[in-house]
Amino acid sequence: MHECPIKPDEFKSLAEEVLTSGRILRFQARGGSMMPFIWDGDILEVHPIGKKAIRKGDVVLFDMDGHIAAHRVKVVGVFNNYDALISQGDALRYTDGWISFDKVLGRVVALERNHKRISIDTGYMRFLAALW
């Protein structure tokens, strides 16, 4: 497979444009921070999300200091008078800290692995992730 390198700021702009226009974003995941649920190389399907619809257990795509990450929501609350969340990669020991809802681009609802679509936005998958 031929890879087309894209700079992080270009990907962020593209993701924002696609998701804020109400369309679905699909891209190839890179890294192991979400193992064992999301593997390096999986194709992620991200849908736009209303900020008030963010829930604990969601996997959200967000801007983390200039680069884009997809991590699981651990806490939803208020930080410095702003609606915010705390996220963490499933394979990581530490959280990403408080992230303003304004930094959230969308919710990962499914992935594609070995040409098979796997929904991750279900109660069952949330239960498995909570056990992890």
Side-chain angles (χ1 to χ4, degrees):
M1 173 171 51
H2 175 73
E3 290 190 34
C4 178
I6 185 168
K7 296 177 183 170
D9 57 333
E10 292 172 346
F11 178 71
K12 178 181 177 265
S13 294
L14 175 66
E16 286 174 339
E17 181 179 327
V18 168
L19 292 165
T20 58
S21 70
R23 294 177 292 174
I24 296 169
L25 175 70
R26 289 173 46 91
F27 70 96
Q28 188 172 38
R30 288 287 170 224
S33 68
M34 286 299 293
M35 292 288 288
F37 295 98
I38 298 175
W39 299 357
D40 183 53
D42 284 348
I43 304 298
L44 301 186
E45 181 180 316
V46 183
H47 289 212
I49 183 172
K51 305 306 182 194
K52 297 296 181 183
I54 297 171
R55 303 173 303 197
K56 181 179 177 181
D58 285 344
V59 176
V60 293
L61 187 72
F62 62 96
D63 177 0
M64 187 167 68
D65 298 325
H67 75 277
I68 301 298
H71 287 165
R72 191 170 310 279
V73 175
K74 295 294 191 181
V75 175
V76 175
V78 176
F79 180 72
N80 287 340
N81 295 321
Y82 292 99
D83 290 331
L85 60 90
I86 295 176
S87 66
Q88 181 176 358
D90 290 343
L92 301 178
R93 295 180 71 183
Y94 302 102
T95 71
D96 302 315
W98 284 103
I99 299 161
S100 168
F101 278 15
D102 293 341
K103 299 288 186 175
V104 176
L105 303 174
R107 176 173 38 221
V108 181
V109 300
L111 60 86
E112 184 179 317
R113 182 181 302 146
N114 299 323
H115 306 288
K116 181 179 177 184
R117 185 178 188 276
I118 302 167
S119 178
I120 65 167
D121 193 30
T122 66
Y124 176 70
M125 290 301 286
R126 288 173 196 279
F127 174 72
L128 287 180
L131 288 178
W132 177 255

